Amino acid sequence: MKKIFVTRLIPDRGLALLKKQGYEVVVNPEDRVLRREELIMFLEGKNYDAVLCLLTDKIDKDIFAAAGSQVKIFANYAVGFDNIDLAAARERNVLITNTPDVLNETVAEHTFALMLAIAHRIAEADQFMRDGKYKGWGPMLLLGADVSHSTLGIVGLGRIGALVAKHAVKGFDMRVLYYDVKRNEDFEKEFNAEFRPNLDDLLHEADFVSIHVPLLPSTKHLMNADTLAKMKKTAYLINTSRGPVIDEHALEQALEKGIIGGAAIDVFENEPLMDLGFKNLDKIIVTPHIASATEETRQKMGEVAARNIIAALEGQTPPNLVVMK
Ligand code: GLV
Ligand code: GLV
């Protein structure tokens, strides 16, 4: 019987697919991230055929070594896979897969939720009400900024970035600029979007800057003190990608000094921690890495991860391969 280790409980549909296949599914009994030594202990000598891991698990050569030579695949329950050492996977002949596409709409919605919330000062306004500060309607009370007809700068035109652009154009009549390592003329035509080969040019013009790049050595601290200073003073920065793409301390300073208008971010440099300075700033909205967190999407991510595992163990090519053997 093939055996699968799941590093933390996920919604049931993916697990059910694995069990239906006749596999033995062992789930970490604790509903928390396993420490590195614990993960090694759970894997060592157990000869699992596959591991379903999460973005909170750092998977490197020691983890692959602990899993042993029986293991064919580590299926990451995330679209991002910066938590996995791909070179080490290749060296050990382990397949790596991710869960793209099924979360695009949910993440794009969360991006808009953040954008609208920071522009309309929703979190501040909610706190204001709860604190009993509302004494009557006022023409100057909690004035925000319009999203409609403003300029959106998309940094990273992947599937999620493109969907955010579509909502921006179709829903809010925004002008869309994008920065990416490659140009996409079909996208430009469809959404009347404008390519900016230099990030700085996009930052100069955008009212909202939304980050959708993967975390890579080349995107770490893409937003830093210098690039933040290139943004308009009134502009907002939105991040639903990965925390280390923004130098968090530089962002705190930029907000503190009024270098940018505000920020709304779902991801942090050293999760689960965040820059403590954010706590005292009104100009930032923070959510705890929940951009893909709807019931349905988290179920679908489990099904995608399970299908990748089943394909690998039944001798087929997994649909969402990141690293080939
Ligand atoms: C979430 O952050 C993901 O990469 O799926
Ligand atoms: C990136 O997150 C993508 O799916 O394009």
Side-chain angles (χ1 to χ4, degrees), residues 97-277:
T97 57
N98 68 342
T99 62
D101 299 326
V102 289
L103 44 61
N104 294 351
E105 286 171 353
T106 306
V107 176
E109 282 186 18
H110 196 79
T111 303
F112 258 94
L114 291 176
M115 207 186 300
L116 293 165
I118 190 69
H120 288 261
R121 302 176 63 175
I122 299 294
E124 266 181 274
D126 180 86
Q127 192 61 50
F128 184 85
M129 290 299 294
R130 289 167 197 263
D131 292 345
K133 290 184 181 161
Y134 184 43
K135 303 296 179 217
W137 185 88
M140 306 297 277
L141 182 62
L142 285 164
L143 303 187
D146 286 311
V147 170
S148 295
H149 313 296
S150 66
T151 297
L152 172 64
I154 299 277
V155 178
L157 191 75
R159 290 158 288 211
I160 297 169
L163 194 54
V164 169
K166 176 180 159 192
H167 294 334
V169 171
K170 302 220 160 166
F172 296 91
D173 206 15
M174 293 171 90
R175 174 177 170 234
V176 171
L177 315 175
Y178 75 102
Y179 165 79
D180 197 281
V181 285
K182 61 178 197 296
R183 188 165 175 182
N184 180 341
E185 294 184 38
D186 291 339
F187 168 81
E188 287 170 34
K189 282 199 199 89
E190 189 171 358
F191 297 110
N192 206 15
E194 298 163 49
F195 181 50
R196 290 291 178 272
N198 288 311
L199 178 61
D200 287 359
D201 293 337
L202 176 145
L203 298 176
H204 276 306
E205 285 182 78
D207 299 305
F208 295 87
V209 174
S210 190
I211 310 284
H212 301 284
V213 292
L215 176 60
L216 299 166
S218 59
T219 59
K220 173 147 199 243
H221 285 188
L222 188 67
M223 295 309 297
N224 52 46
D226 285 345
T227 46
L228 287 164
K230 304 271 164 53
M231 288 174 63
K232 289 187 183 180
K233 266 188 144 46
T234 50
Y236 300 94
L237 179 65
I238 317 294
N239 189 13
T240 50
S241 65
R242 283 290 180 269
V245 175
I246 299 179
D247 176 338
E248 206 163 291
H249 180 67
L251 175 60
E252 191 230 307
Q253 293 293 302
L255 291 167
E256 185 95 48
K257 293 180 186 154
I259 289 168
I260 68 171
I265 62 178
D266 183 53
V267 285
F268 304 87
E269 252 195 284
N270 300 299
E271 291 182 21
L273 306 176
M274 74 165 178
D275 190 310
L276 284 180

Side-chain angles (χ1 to χ4, degrees), residues 55 76-83 98-100 103 107 160 240-242 266-267 271 289-292 298 301:
L55 63 90
N76 210 36
Y77 181 82
V79 62
F81 43 84
D82 48 276
N83 57 307
N98 68 342
T99 62
L103 44 61
V107 176
I160 297 169
T240 50
S241 65
R242 283 290 180 269
D266 183 53
V267 285
E271 291 182 21
H289 205 149
I290 54 166
S292 69
R298 289 288 167 85
M301 288 165 66

Side-chain angles (χ1 to χ4, degrees), residues 288-300:
H289 205 149
I290 54 166
S292 69
T294 61
E295 289 279 340
E296 186 57 24
T297 290
R298 289 288 167 85
Q299 288 282 9
K300 285 182 181 158

